[in-house]
Amino acid sequence: MNLKFLITILVSLLFIKCSEQEIKIIDKPIIFNQDRIHLTKEYLKDRYNLDRDSITITPKIIVLHWTVIPSMIETFNAFNSPYLPNWRPELENVSGLNVSSQFLVDQDGSIYRLMPETYMARHVIGLNHSSIGIENVGGSEDL
């Protein structure tokens, strides 16, 4: 089955009210420079013993997440840098690679593609090398 088709079906079932409208995925890429590529390759090697020339993966599962960050733009900004920020000290001993996700779904249902589905994102312990991450903006000002 086509991966894009599968993602479109999943997202529509989980996040979009039933309608006749076509699902639109908005490309909003995070920074994917040589540093991020290097850190991703390093992560693949250190965490999964996968010494690769590229950061491509073959996704087998989809992992859904919920943010405590209250807006799409703040979540995007948290993922954008290739480097793990200093406010995530619990993760820094594992890798300097920042957390990320292939998709980000805003509270209004807008779907943003942050990176290709076949690039590894750091979003879940133990499954990054074989999964697609979908981050749902779910935080609120009250949290």
Side-chain angles (χ1 to χ4, degrees), residues 12-21:
S12 67
L13 289 174
L14 295 174
F15 309 113
I16 308 295
K17 291 182 181 179
C18 294
S19 72
E20 300 289 322
Q21 296 179 2

Side-chain angles (χ1 to χ4, degrees), residues 81-134:
S81 173
Y83 308 102
L84 191 65
N86 62 4
W87 51 268
R88 296 297 305 264
E90 74 279 11
L91 299 178
E92 72 183 343
N93 291 331
V94 176
S95 171
L97 177 64
N98 196 10
V99 294
S100 57
S101 190
Q102 284 88 352
F103 293 93
L104 178 59
V105 180
D106 201 354
Q107 290 182 356
D108 68 1
S110 299
I111 304 166
Y112 299 90
R113 180 185 293 115
L114 306 183
M115 68 176 73
E117 297 89 313
T118 56
Y119 282 12
M120 192 205 86
R122 183 180 183 187
H123 62 96
V124 62
I125 295 171
L127 298 172
N128 294 307
H129 67 296
S130 61
S131 64
I132 290 175
I134 301 175

Side-chain angles (χ1 to χ4, degrees), residues 41-100:
K41 286 179 183 178
E42 189 176 79
Y43 191 95
L44 282 164
K45 185 175 182 182
D46 293 347
R47 302 300 292 169
Y48 306 113
N49 200 28
L50 298 171
D51 194 4
R52 296 187 174 168
D53 292 331
S54 76
I55 60 167
T56 59
I57 61 168
T58 302
K60 295 180 174 57
I61 62 171
I62 296 172
V63 179
L64 303 176
H65 303 275
W66 172 82
T67 72
V68 295
I69 300 173
S71 75
M72 184 285 295
I73 195 65
E74 288 176 288
T75 302
F76 176 85
N77 289 340
F79 291 167
N80 197 31
S81 173
Y83 308 102
L84 191 65
N86 62 4
W87 51 268
R88 296 297 305 264
E90 74 279 11
L91 299 178
E92 72 183 343
N93 291 331
V94 176
S95 171
L97 177 64
N98 196 10
V99 294
S100 57

